[in-house]
Amino acid sequence: QFGGQTPLNLAQALEDNGVNVIGTKPSNIEAAEDRKFFQALAQKLEILQPANGMASSADQAADIANTVGYPVLLRPSFVLGGRAMVIVHDEAALRNYMADAVQASEQRPVLVDRYLDNAVEVDVDCISDGETSCIGAIMEHVEQAGVHSGDSACIIPAASLTEAVKIKIRNHTFALAKALNVCGLMNIQFAVKDEDVYILEVNPRASRTVPFVSKAIGVPLAKLAALVMVGHKLKDLGFTEEIIPEHYSVKEAVFPFARFPGIDVLLSPEMKSTGEVMGIDSDHGVAFMKSQMGASSPIPSGGNVFISVRDSDKPLVIEPCRQLVAFGFKLFATKGTRRALSEQGIASESVLRIADGVPNILNLIHEGQIQWIVNTPSSTANARRDETKMRAGAVIKAIPLTTTLAGFSAAVAGLSAL
């Protein structure tokens, strides 16, 4: 027992094997009640949420997705570490997920959420003693919303959020702490899109980011939270005001991909990292570069860079690529990306897609001609197969690999500062 209750995932496993568990609810009932409570609470506090629904069949999921609009985030109703969470862009992918990835039913519903494309995700760690609430830090994720928070790099203090957005985040945080009667730590995940702040989830518990925040601001949050939970007040402990450090701290995830040859390293809602490192500097770009060094994926200071991005990202890679050329890098690109660069006066060498013949990017990787790969995922099946092979090849050869535009921009900013 934990606090007088059997954990829901254990209770469900026991019940699935014919064991009668007293004093718990099946996870589907808990999930439905949690979502209804969460929706009502957000509406009461006037906090935006992505449009969502709960489905127990493929047809229900398709109806919800058509109502809220694609892309949508799909996940089982009870999940840890983002397990089996995916983003789908059309009904065919949705039905494939419902048929193969999960066993949806009245007892095992699937949550369907509108995915906020190109939104910035934000983590907040906060301590409350029931009377006073104090924010440990507002952390801006480097990767866009949709990448699991445990896999995304994040920065303290937030580098690009406007003051108006930060005020909204603080007000929402304090309102949630009061409404949930939090005593101890609380973690909230928000998504910011076009200056609107959406709540993704709130957890009245310590988060994996607590050690990072504590080191960044110089305050032992776990110790203070433990003292608060046994009756101390934050005023007596001297922690009542948010600390905004004068330096930047960047947390980066460490991945085990090198131990699993052939695995796709693309970041997703499902957590894949096995550790974390931290970079600190007065410049946020340099702090990011230090975090990459600590994660054993240092961004090169020169050499050849392979660029291949999906169509919607092509306009956004122009300026970073222009900077790379100015720094002395040589660019290689697939046909579509090369055309977009050429139209803006940026020179690059053409590289065939893997499916189109040789020499292709795999040949260049094996010959040691590429020092850095920037690749954002395509939507077509053939392109995805090529990209999976390329990313796997990069891991084997220990070539730095960037799969998000935000990560690419942060790296170029770091190179510029250096």
Side-chain angles (χ1 to χ4, degrees):
Q1 289 188 334
F2 293 79
Q5 280 191 310
T6 306
L8 283 173
N9 55 339
L10 176 58
Q12 186 66 57
L14 291 169
E15 289 176 346
D16 287 348
N17 285 278
V19 179
N20 183 32
V21 182
I22 299 172
T24 64
K25 304 174 194 174
S27 60
N28 64 304
I29 297 175
E30 186 80 10
E33 290 182 355
D34 283 352
R35 173 148 290 213
K36 289 177 182 177
F37 170 79
F38 186 66
Q39 289 174 330
L41 178 64
Q43 290 172 1
K44 179 181 178 181
L45 299 178
E46 298 182 348
I47 304 176
L48 298 176
Q49 302 173 77
N52 59 75
M54 182 176 288
S56 57
S57 68
D59 288 340
Q60 283 185 3
D63 289 342
I64 294 169
N66 288 327
T67 300
V68 305
Y70 288 96
V72 292
L73 176 68
L74 302 175
R75 55 178 167 157
S77 53
F78 186 85
V79 63
L80 293 174
R83 180 68 179 155
M85 290 173 60
V86 299
I87 298 166
V88 300
H89 293 80
D90 53 49
E91 186 170 330
L94 180 146
R95 289 187 177 277
N96 181 65
Y97 173 86
M98 296 295 290
D100 299 334
V102 297
Q103 294 180 341
S105 65
E106 291 292 341
Q107 288 72 41
R108 299 180 184 276
V110 169
L111 307 183
V112 184
D113 295 84
R114 170 73 168 137
Y115 173 60
L116 302 174
D117 206 3
N118 293 321
V120 176
E121 189 161 339
V122 177
D123 255 280
V124 178
D125 280 331
C126 171
I127 296 181
S128 180
D129 62 12
E131 298 174 3
T132 304
S133 296
C134 185
I135 289 175
I138 296 173
M139 293 159 274
E140 179 181 343
H141 289 211
V142 173
E143 283 76 19
Q144 73 273 18
V147 173
H148 193 282
S149 60
D151 288 354
S152 180
C154 65
I155 185 168
I156 300 172
S160 69
L161 300 182
T162 65
E163 194 56 39
V165 165
K166 292 177 185 176
I167 289 171
K168 288 181 185 177
I169 289 172
R170 292 185 181 108
N171 290 340
H172 292 341
T173 299
F174 296 141
L176 285 164
K178 182 177 180 180
L180 294 171
N181 298 314
V182 173
C183 183
L185 279 160
M186 175 180 69
N187 172 262
I188 312 174
Q189 292 169 22
F190 296 102
V192 178
K193 186 175 176 64
D194 302 327
E195 295 294 291
D196 288 326
V197 178
Y198 296 82
I199 188 166
L200 302 180
E201 62 179 76
V202 54
N203 299 292
R205 56 159 172 76
S207 167
R208 66 175 59 83
T209 51
V210 166
F212 167 60
V213 175
S214 297
K215 290 177 182 293
I217 67 173
V219 175
L221 296 180
K223 179 179 180 179
L224 296 185
L227 291 170
V228 163
M229 293 172 75
V230 295
H232 292 268
K233 296 298 181 183
L234 288 174
K235 291 180 180 178
D236 300 329
L237 298 172
F239 185 61
T240 58
E241 297 290 335
E242 181 183 350
I243 296 173
I244 309 296
E246 295 182 2
H247 58 273
Y248 288 95
S249 300
V250 176
K251 181 211 77 171
E252 180 58 287
V254 176
F255 298 93
F257 298 138
R259 298 173 183 267
F260 301 96
I263 191 173
D264 191 6
V265 303
L266 188 65
L267 299 181
S268 71
E270 187 168 280
M271 184 175 169
K272 300 174 181 176
S273 61
T274 52
E276 295 172 340
V277 295
M278 179 175 176
I280 301 175
D281 199 89
S282 57
D283 180 272
H284 68 87
V286 177
F288 178 79
M289 297 293 278
K290 289 181 177 180
S291 74
Q292 302 309 296
M293 296 173 192
S296 299
S297 183
I299 302 300
S301 57
N304 299 333
V305 184
F306 174 75
I307 311 285
S308 179
V309 298
R310 60 189 176 188
D311 289 344
S312 60
D313 291 340
K314 286 180 172 60
L316 303 176
V317 299
I318 299 301
E319 288 311 312
C321 285
R322 197 186 305 278
Q323 286 184 274
L324 287 183
V325 172
F327 297 155
F329 286 87
K330 183 177 181 179
L331 304 185
F332 289 75
T334 47
K335 184 178 179 180
T337 302
R338 182 173 183 267
R339 185 188 305 115
L341 294 174
S342 178
E343 289 172 353
Q344 299 298 319
I346 301 172
S348 62
E349 293 287 330
S350 180
V351 180
L352 291 174
R353 288 186 176 274
I354 297 171
D356 294 339
V358 293
N360 56 51
I361 182 57
L362 287 182
N363 301 122
L364 297 182
I365 289 173
H366 293 312
E367 292 167 6
Q369 295 189 45
I370 299 296
Q371 283 70 53
W372 183 15
I373 293 175
V374 178
N375 169 235
T376 60
S378 301
S379 57
T380 64
N382 287 338
R384 285 199 300 267
R385 281 194 290 269
D386 273 10
E387 290 165 356
T388 298
K389 294 177 184 177
M390 176 190 64
R391 291 189 291 260
V395 170
I396 292 172
K397 291 293 186 178
I399 298 173
L401 178 63
T402 302
T403 61
T404 65
L405 283 181
F408 183 38
S409 297
V412 173
L415 287 168
S416 180
L418 290 173

